[in-house]
mmCIF file of all heavy atoms in Angstrom:
data_model
loop_
_atom_site.group_PDB
_atom_site.id
_atom_site.type_symbol
_atom_site.label_atom_id
_atom_site.label_comp_id
_atom_site.label_asym_id
_atom_site.label_seq_id
_atom_site.Cartn_x
_atom_site.Cartn_y
_atom_site.Cartn_z
ATOM 1 N N VAL A 60 0.848 -1.196 -0.003
ATOM 2 C CA VAL A 60 -0.003 0.002 -0.005
ATOM 3 C C VAL A 60 0.883 1.229 0.008
ATOM 4 O O VAL A 60 1.825 1.375 0.802
ATOM 5 C CB VAL A 60 -0.966 0.008 1.202
ATOM 6 C CG1 VAL A 60 -0.225 -0.057 2.546
ATOM 7 C CG2 VAL A 60 -1.898 1.202 1.138
ATOM 8 N N SER A 61 0.635 2.151 -0.917
ATOM 9 C CA SER A 61 1.368 3.413 -0.984
ATOM 10 C C SER A 61 0.488 4.554 -0.548
ATOM 11 O O SER A 61 -0.736 4.494 -0.690
ATOM 12 C CB SER A 61 1.916 3.643 -2.396
ATOM 13 O OG SER A 61 0.858 3.860 -3.316
ATOM 14 N N TYR A 62 1.129 5.601 -0.028
ATOM 15 C CA TYR A 62 0.360 6.728 0.481
ATOM 16 C C TYR A 62 1.304 7.924 0.645
ATOM 17 O O TYR A 62 2.511 7.782 0.816
ATOM 18 C CB TYR A 62 -0.330 6.389 1.791
ATOM 19 C CG TYR A 62 0.597 5.744 2.828
ATOM 20 C CD1 TYR A 62 1.232 6.490 3.794
ATOM 21 C CD2 TYR A 62 0.778 4.351 2.799
ATOM 22 C CE1 TYR A 62 2.088 5.878 4.727
ATOM 23 C CE2 TYR A 62 1.607 3.736 3.736
ATOM 24 C CZ TYR A 62 2.256 4.493 4.686
ATOM 25 O OH TYR A 62 3.086 3.898 5.604
ATOM 26 N N ASN A 63 0.699 9.112 0.651
ATOM 27 C CA ASN A 63 1.460 10.298 0.993
ATOM 28 C C ASN A 63 1.813 10.265 2.471
ATOM 29 O O ASN A 63 0.948 9.921 3.308
ATOM 30 C CB ASN A 63 0.649 11.558 0.677
ATOM 31 C CG ASN A 63 0.686 11.925 -0.793
ATOM 32 O OD1 ASN A 63 1.522 11.397 -1.552
ATOM 33 N ND2 ASN A 63 -0.206 12.786 -1.211
ATOM 34 N N ALA A 64 3.060 10.595 2.787
ATOM 35 C CA ALA A 64 3.516 10.415 4.164
ATOM 36 C C ALA A 64 3.833 11.737 4.853
ATOM 37 O O ALA A 64 4.180 12.723 4.237
ATOM 38 C CB ALA A 64 4.784 9.536 4.128
ATOM 39 N N LEU A 65 3.691 11.672 6.176
ATOM 40 C CA LEU A 65 4.106 12.780 7.034
ATOM 41 C C LEU A 65 5.466 12.444 7.659
ATOM 42 O O LEU A 65 5.778 11.275 7.833
ATOM 43 C CB LEU A 65 3.059 12.970 8.156
ATOM 44 C CG LEU A 65 1.669 13.394 7.681
ATOM 45 C CD1 LEU A 65 0.701 13.388 8.870
ATOM 46 C CD2 LEU A 65 1.700 14.745 7.018
ATOM 47 N N PRO A 66 6.302 13.473 7.925
ATOM 48 C CA PRO A 66 5.961 14.902 7.855
ATOM 49 C C PRO A 66 6.226 15.548 6.503
ATOM 50 O O PRO A 66 5.915 16.737 6.340
ATOM 51 C CB PRO A 66 6.904 15.495 8.896
ATOM 52 C CG PRO A 66 8.113 14.645 8.804
ATOM 53 C CD PRO A 66 7.616 13.240 8.581
ATOM 54 N N GLY A 67 6.812 14.848 5.541
ATOM 55 C CA GLY A 67 7.203 15.475 4.298
ATOM 56 C C GLY A 67 6.092 16.189 3.553
ATOM 57 O O GLY A 67 6.325 17.242 2.948
ATOM 58 N N CYS A 68 4.865 15.654 3.613
ATOM 59 C CA CYS A 68 3.788 16.241 2.848
ATOM 60 C C CYS A 68 3.252 17.538 3.456
ATOM 61 O O CYS A 68 2.440 18.224 2.838
ATOM 62 C CB CYS A 68 2.637 15.237 2.679
ATOM 63 S SG CYS A 68 2.839 14.259 1.159
ATOM 64 N N ARG A 69 3.704 17.838 4.668
ATOM 65 C CA ARG A 69 3.263 19.142 5.224
ATOM 66 C C ARG A 69 3.803 20.293 4.362
ATOM 67 O O ARG A 69 3.128 21.320 4.202
ATOM 68 C CB ARG A 69 3.771 19.284 6.668
ATOM 69 C CG ARG A 69 3.132 18.248 7.607
ATOM 70 C CD ARG A 69 3.194 18.650 9.045
ATOM 71 N NE ARG A 69 2.831 17.557 9.915
ATOM 72 C CZ ARG A 69 1.588 17.164 10.195
ATOM 73 N NH1 ARG A 69 0.573 17.783 9.620
ATOM 74 N NH2 ARG A 69 1.350 16.147 11.023
ATOM 75 N N LEU A 70 5.005 20.137 3.823
ATOM 76 C CA LEU A 70 5.551 21.166 2.930
ATOM 77 C C LEU A 70 4.761 21.193 1.624
ATOM 78 O O LEU A 70 4.460 22.280 1.091
ATOM 79 C CB LEU A 70 7.036 20.888 2.640
ATOM 80 C CG LEU A 70 7.964 20.883 3.859
ATOM 81 C CD1 LEU A 70 9.390 20.658 3.424
ATOM 82 C CD2 LEU A 70 7.854 22.209 4.598
ATOM 83 N N ARG A 71 4.445 20.037 1.086
ATOM 84 C CA ARG A 71 3.656 19.963 -0.135
ATOM 85 C C ARG A 71 2.283 20.614 0.045
ATOM 86 O O ARG A 71 1.771 21.261 -0.879
ATOM 87 C CB ARG A 71 3.508 18.500 -0.548
ATOM 88 C CG ARG A 71 2.689 18.242 -1.784
ATOM 89 C CD ARG A 71 2.703 16.755 -2.127
ATOM 90 N NE ARG A 71 1.849 16.448 -3.238
ATOM 91 C CZ ARG A 71 1.835 15.257 -3.837
ATOM 92 N NH1 ARG A 71 2.624 14.306 -3.410
ATOM 93 N NH2 ARG A 71 0.997 15.037 -4.859
ATOM 94 N N ASP A 72 1.742 20.485 1.238
ATOM 95 C CA ASP A 72 0.397 21.007 1.496
ATOM 96 C C ASP A 72 0.372 22.543 1.555
ATOM 97 O O ASP A 72 -0.694 23.154 1.374
ATOM 98 C CB ASP A 72 -0.178 20.433 2.780
ATOM 99 C CG ASP A 72 -0.658 19.022 2.601
ATOM 100 O OD1 ASP A 72 -0.811 18.582 1.445
ATOM 101 O OD2 ASP A 72 -0.894 18.337 3.609
ATOM 102 N N LEU A 73 1.529 23.193 1.749
ATOM 103 C CA LEU A 73 1.553 24.643 1.710
ATOM 104 C C LEU A 73 1.141 25.140 0.331
ATOM 105 O O LEU A 73 0.362 26.059 0.205
ATOM 106 C CB LEU A 73 2.953 25.164 2.079
ATOM 107 C CG LEU A 73 3.470 24.865 3.482
ATOM 108 C CD1 LEU A 73 4.865 25.390 3.673
ATOM 109 C CD2 LEU A 73 2.521 25.453 4.530
ATOM 110 N N ALA A 74 1.698 24.503 -0.683
ATOM 111 C CA ALA A 74 1.326 24.844 -2.061
ATOM 112 C C ALA A 74 -0.084 24.369 -2.390
ATOM 113 O O ALA A 74 -0.860 25.028 -3.111
ATOM 114 C CB ALA A 74 2.324 24.246 -3.043
ATOM 115 N N ARG A 75 -0.434 23.203 -1.861
ATOM 116 C CA ARG A 75 -1.767 22.667 -2.136
ATOM 117 C C ARG A 75 -2.860 23.561 -1.578
ATOM 118 O O ARG A 75 -3.896 23.743 -2.176
ATOM 119 C CB ARG A 75 -1.841 21.275 -1.494
ATOM 120 C CG ARG A 75 -3.030 20.465 -1.886
ATOM 121 C CD ARG A 75 -2.835 18.975 -1.576
ATOM 122 N NE ARG A 75 -4.070 18.274 -1.600
ATOM 123 C CZ ARG A 75 -4.803 17.976 -0.514
ATOM 124 N NH1 ARG A 75 -4.364 18.317 0.675
ATOM 125 N NH2 ARG A 75 -5.953 17.316 -0.606
ATOM 126 N N ASP A 76 -2.603 24.178 -0.412
ATOM 127 C CA ASP A 76 -3.568 25.129 0.172
ATOM 128 C C ASP A 76 -3.840 26.285 -0.793
ATOM 129 O O ASP A 76 -5.007 26.719 -0.933
ATOM 130 C CB ASP A 76 -3.040 25.680 1.514
ATOM 131 C CG ASP A 76 -3.075 24.664 2.606
ATOM 132 O OD1 ASP A 76 -3.776 23.643 2.494
ATOM 133 O OD2 ASP A 76 -2.365 24.866 3.635
ATOM 134 N N VAL A 77 -2.801 26.791 -1.422
ATOM 135 C CA VAL A 77 -2.954 27.868 -2.378
ATOM 136 C C VAL A 77 -3.810 27.420 -3.555
ATOM 137 O O VAL A 77 -4.778 28.118 -3.959
ATOM 138 C CB VAL A 77 -1.568 28.334 -2.901
ATOM 139 C CG1 VAL A 77 -1.733 29.314 -4.090
ATOM 140 C CG2 VAL A 77 -0.783 28.990 -1.771
ATOM 141 N N MET A 78 -3.521 26.241 -4.083
ATOM 142 C CA MET A 78 -4.223 25.775 -5.281
ATOM 143 C C MET A 78 -5.684 25.398 -4.972
ATOM 144 O O MET A 78 -6.579 25.680 -5.776
ATOM 145 C CB MET A 78 -3.481 24.596 -5.880
ATOM 146 C CG MET A 78 -2.116 24.970 -6.450
ATOM 147 S SD MET A 78 -1.301 23.630 -7.378
ATOM 148 C CE MET A 78 -0.874 22.507 -6.033
ATOM 149 N N LEU A 79 -5.930 24.801 -3.815
ATOM 150 C CA LEU A 79 -7.301 24.427 -3.450
ATOM 151 C C LEU A 79 -8.154 25.674 -3.202
ATOM 152 O O LEU A 79 -9.343 25.714 -3.577
ATOM 153 C CB LEU A 79 -7.316 23.517 -2.236
ATOM 154 C CG LEU A 79 -6.816 22.099 -2.444
ATOM 155 C CD1 LEU A 79 -6.778 21.327 -1.132
ATOM 156 C CD2 LEU A 79 -7.688 21.363 -3.457
ATOM 157 N N TYR A 80 -7.565 26.694 -2.637
ATOM 158 C CA TYR A 80 -8.308 27.943 -2.386
ATOM 159 C C TYR A 80 -8.677 28.598 -3.715
ATOM 160 O O TYR A 80 -9.814 29.021 -3.944
ATOM 161 C CB TYR A 80 -7.505 28.901 -1.539
ATOM 162 C CG TYR A 80 -8.203 30.228 -1.336
ATOM 163 C CD1 TYR A 80 -9.292 30.331 -0.465
ATOM 164 C CD2 TYR A 80 -7.784 31.367 -2.010
ATOM 165 C CE1 TYR A 80 -9.944 31.546 -0.281
ATOM 166 C CE2 TYR A 80 -8.419 32.573 -1.848
ATOM 167 C CZ TYR A 80 -9.502 32.665 -0.999
ATOM 168 O OH TYR A 80 -10.158 33.884 -0.793
ATOM 169 N N ALA A 81 -7.689 28.641 -4.634
ATOM 170 C CA ALA A 81 -7.917 29.294 -5.906
ATOM 171 C C ALA A 81 -8.948 28.577 -6.761
ATOM 172 O O ALA A 81 -9.624 29.197 -7.602
ATOM 173 C CB ALA A 81 -6.609 29.409 -6.677
ATOM 174 N N THR A 82 -9.086 27.282 -6.576
ATOM 175 C CA THR A 82 -9.994 26.487 -7.440
ATOM 176 C C THR A 82 -11.264 26.072 -6.699
ATOM 177 O O THR A 82 -11.979 25.173 -7.160
ATOM 178 C CB THR A 82 -9.263 25.225 -7.944
ATOM 179 O OG1 THR A 82 -8.807 24.444 -6.802
ATOM 180 C CG2 THR A 82 -8.055 25.586 -8.807
ATOM 181 N N ARG A 83 -11.561 26.698 -5.601
ATOM 182 C CA ARG A 83 -12.676 26.250 -4.774
ATOM 183 C C ARG A 83 -14.029 26.329 -5.507
ATOM 184 O O ARG A 83 -14.947 25.565 -5.219
ATOM 185 C CB ARG A 83 -12.742 27.059 -3.444
ATOM 186 C CG ARG A 83 -13.030 28.530 -3.630
ATOM 187 C CD ARG A 83 -12.726 29.315 -2.352
ATOM 188 N NE ARG A 83 -13.093 30.750 -2.488
ATOM 189 C CZ ARG A 83 -12.337 31.629 -3.120
ATOM 190 N NH1 ARG A 83 -11.205 31.253 -3.704
ATOM 191 N NH2 ARG A 83 -12.723 32.903 -3.168
ATOM 192 N N ASP A 84 -14.144 27.239 -6.493
ATOM 193 C CA ASP A 84 -15.395 27.374 -7.248
ATOM 194 C C ASP A 84 -15.212 26.940 -8.707
ATOM 195 O O ASP A 84 -16.086 27.220 -9.527
ATOM 196 C CB ASP A 84 -15.884 28.831 -7.186
ATOM 197 C CG ASP A 84 -16.231 29.255 -5.765
ATOM 198 O OD1 ASP A 84 -16.793 28.416 -5.020
ATOM 199 O OD2 ASP A 84 -15.935 30.399 -5.405
ATOM 200 N N VAL A 85 -14.109 26.272 -9.006
ATOM 201 C CA VAL A 85 -13.840 25.838 -10.369
ATOM 202 C C VAL A 85 -14.000 24.325 -10.437
ATOM 203 O O VAL A 85 -13.343 23.599 -9.692
ATOM 204 C CB VAL A 85 -12.393 26.225 -10.823
ATOM 205 C CG1 VAL A 85 -12.152 25.785 -12.261
ATOM 206 C CG2 VAL A 85 -12.178 27.735 -10.696
ATOM 207 N N HIS A 86 -14.828 23.844 -11.352
ATOM 208 C CA HIS A 86 -15.139 22.408 -11.388
ATOM 209 C C HIS A 86 -14.705 21.721 -12.653
ATOM 210 O O HIS A 86 -14.461 20.512 -12.634
ATOM 211 C CB HIS A 86 -16.632 22.223 -11.169
ATOM 212 C CG HIS A 86 -17.152 22.840 -9.909
ATOM 213 N ND1 HIS A 86 -16.800 22.379 -8.664
ATOM 214 C CD2 HIS A 86 -17.945 23.923 -9.706
ATOM 215 C CE1 HIS A 86 -17.373 23.127 -7.704
ATOM 216 N NE2 HIS A 86 -18.072 24.079 -8.332
ATOM 217 N N GLU A 87 -14.609 22.429 -13.773
ATOM 218 C CA GLU A 87 -14.166 21.825 -15.027
ATOM 219 C C GLU A 87 -12.709 21.453 -14.934
ATOM 220 O O GLU A 87 -11.851 22.294 -14.541
ATOM 221 C CB GLU A 87 -14.394 22.796 -16.192
ATOM 222 C CG GLU A 87 -14.375 22.139 -17.558
ATOM 223 C CD GLU A 87 -12.970 21.902 -18.041
ATOM 224 O OE1 GLU A 87 -12.107 22.758 -17.809
ATOM 225 O OE2 GLU A 87 -12.734 20.846 -18.690
ATOM 226 N N PRO A 88 -12.340 20.189 -15.172
ATOM 227 C CA PRO A 88 -10.975 19.717 -14.894
ATOM 228 C C PRO A 88 -9.842 20.522 -15.513
ATOM 229 O O PRO A 88 -8.898 20.896 -14.828
ATOM 230 C CB PRO A 88 -10.986 18.270 -15.431
ATOM 231 C CG PRO A 88 -12.416 17.847 -15.325
ATOM 232 C CD PRO A 88 -13.200 19.082 -15.628
ATOM 233 N N GLU A 89 -9.922 20.812 -16.826
ATOM 234 C CA GLU A 89 -8.825 21.543 -17.456
ATOM 235 C C GLU A 89 -8.670 22.946 -16.878
ATOM 236 O O GLU A 89 -7.573 23.410 -16.655
ATOM 237 C CB GLU A 89 -9.060 21.591 -18.971
ATOM 238 C CG GLU A 89 -8.847 20.253 -19.673
ATOM 239 C CD GLU A 89 -8.936 20.403 -21.183
ATOM 240 O OE1 GLU A 89 -8.961 21.550 -21.686
ATOM 241 O OE2 GLU A 89 -8.956 19.356 -21.862
ATOM 242 N N GLU A 90 -9.807 23.588 -16.659
ATOM 243 C CA GLU A 90 -9.768 24.932 -16.092
ATOM 244 C C GLU A 90 -9.249 24.888 -14.658
ATOM 245 O O GLU A 90 -8.534 25.780 -14.217
ATOM 246 C CB GLU A 90 -11.157 25.570 -16.167
ATOM 247 C CG GLU A 90 -11.224 26.987 -15.624
ATOM 248 C CD GLU A 90 -10.449 28.023 -16.462
ATOM 249 O OE1 GLU A 90 -9.910 27.662 -17.522
ATOM 250 O OE2 GLU A 90 -10.369 29.179 -16.009
ATOM 251 N N ARG A 91 -9.636 23.870 -13.969
ATOM 252 C CA ARG A 91 -9.189 23.705 -12.570
ATOM 253 C C ARG A 91 -7.664 23.613 -12.489
ATOM 254 O O ARG A 91 -7.027 24.233 -11.655
ATOM 255 C CB ARG A 91 -9.866 22.467 -11.968
ATOM 256 C CG ARG A 91 -9.688 22.278 -10.467
ATOM 257 C CD ARG A 91 -10.638 21.178 -9.991
ATOM 258 N NE ARG A 91 -10.329 20.751 -8.651
ATOM 259 C CZ ARG A 91 -10.689 21.410 -7.544
ATOM 260 N NH1 ARG A 91 -11.391 22.543 -7.664
ATOM 261 N NH2 ARG A 91 -10.370 20.987 -6.360
ATOM 262 N N VAL A 92 -7.097 22.822 -13.395
ATOM 263 C CA VAL A 92 -5.632 22.682 -13.423
ATOM 264 C C VAL A 92 -4.983 23.987 -13.840
ATOM 265 O O VAL A 92 -3.974 24.408 -13.238
ATOM 266 C CB VAL A 92 -5.244 21.546 -14.411
ATOM 267 C CG1 VAL A 92 -3.743 21.535 -14.643
ATOM 268 C CG2 VAL A 92 -5.670 20.188 -13.830
ATOM 269 N N ARG A 93 -5.531 24.673 -14.836
ATOM 270 C CA ARG A 93 -4.952 25.934 -15.308
ATOM 271 C C ARG A 93 -4.935 26.960 -14.199
ATOM 272 O O ARG A 93 -3.914 27.651 -13.935
ATOM 273 C CB ARG A 93 -5.724 26.440 -16.514
ATOM 274 C CG ARG A 93 -5.100 27.684 -17.163
ATOM 275 C CD ARG A 93 -6.062 28.395 -18.098
ATOM 276 N NE ARG A 93 -7.177 28.992 -17.411
ATOM 277 C CZ ARG A 93 -7.092 30.144 -16.713
ATOM 278 N NH1 ARG A 93 -5.917 30.817 -16.641
ATOM 279 N NH2 ARG A 93 -8.162 30.649 -16.117
ATOM 280 N N VAL A 94 -6.075 27.104 -13.519
ATOM 281 C CA VAL A 94 -6.174 28.103 -12.428
ATOM 282 C C VAL A 94 -5.230 27.743 -11.303
ATOM 283 O O VAL A 94 -4.586 28.623 -10.712
ATOM 284 C CB VAL A 94 -7.641 28.187 -11.921
ATOM 285 C CG1 VAL A 94 -7.737 29.021 -10.641
ATOM 286 C CG2 VAL A 94 -8.536 28.769 -13.009
ATOM 287 N N ALA A 95 -5.142 26.462 -10.963
ATOM 288 C CA ALA A 95 -4.240 26.046 -9.888
ATOM 289 C C ALA A 95 -2.779 26.412 -10.200
ATOM 290 O O ALA A 95 -2.048 26.921 -9.338
ATOM 291 C CB ALA A 95 -4.391 24.552 -9.645
ATOM 292 N N ARG A 96 -2.326 26.083 -11.404
ATOM 293 C CA ARG A 96 -0.951 26.382 -11.762
ATOM 294 C C ARG A 96 -0.685 27.901 -11.741
ATOM 295 O O ARG A 96 0.347 28.359 -11.244
ATOM 296 C CB ARG A 96 -0.643 25.823 -13.150
ATOM 297 C CG ARG A 96 -0.534 24.288 -13.207
ATOM 298 C CD ARG A 96 -0.002 23.864 -14.563
ATOM 299 N NE ARG A 96 0.032 22.416 -14.755
ATOM 300 C CZ ARG A 96 0.979 21.617 -14.315
ATOM 301 N NH1 ARG A 96 1.989 22.106 -13.624
ATOM 302 N NH2 ARG A 96 0.919 20.307 -14.563
ATOM 303 N N ALA A 97 -1.605 28.654 -12.282
ATOM 304 C CA ALA A 97 -1.437 30.121 -12.329
ATOM 305 C C ALA A 97 -1.407 30.694 -10.933
ATOM 306 O O ALA A 97 -0.595 31.585 -10.626
ATOM 307 C CB ALA A 97 -2.550 30.725 -13.156
ATOM 308 N N ALA A 98 -2.292 30.202 -10.052
ATOM 309 C CA ALA A 98 -2.343 30.736 -8.683
ATOM 310 C C ALA A 98 -1.059 30.438 -7.931
ATOM 311 O O ALA A 98 -0.508 31.297 -7.240
ATOM 312 C CB ALA A 98 -3.532 30.131 -7.952
#
């Protein structure tokens, strides 16, 4: 079984917080990825 591990993913989640906030109202997959990268 593979999984994202702690504590290393805490650093990854700093960026993920930015992307999830920026895409909170975006649902179309391609647009969601574009907005996340730009943010």
Side-chain angles (χ1 to χ4, degrees):
V60 58
S61 66
Y62 49 94
N63 281 346
L65 297 174
C68 270
R69 296 200 191 281
L70 299 182
R71 178 175 175 171
D72 282 346
L73 297 178
R75 191 163 163 263
D76 287 343
V77 170
M78 293 188 290
L79 288 176
Y80 177 74
T82 58
R83 64 195 184 281
D84 297 321
V85 181
H86 303 292
E87 198 279 323
E89 288 187 9
E90 181 66 5
R91 189 168 168 80
V92 170
R93 186 194 67 77
V94 170
R96 289 190 186 277

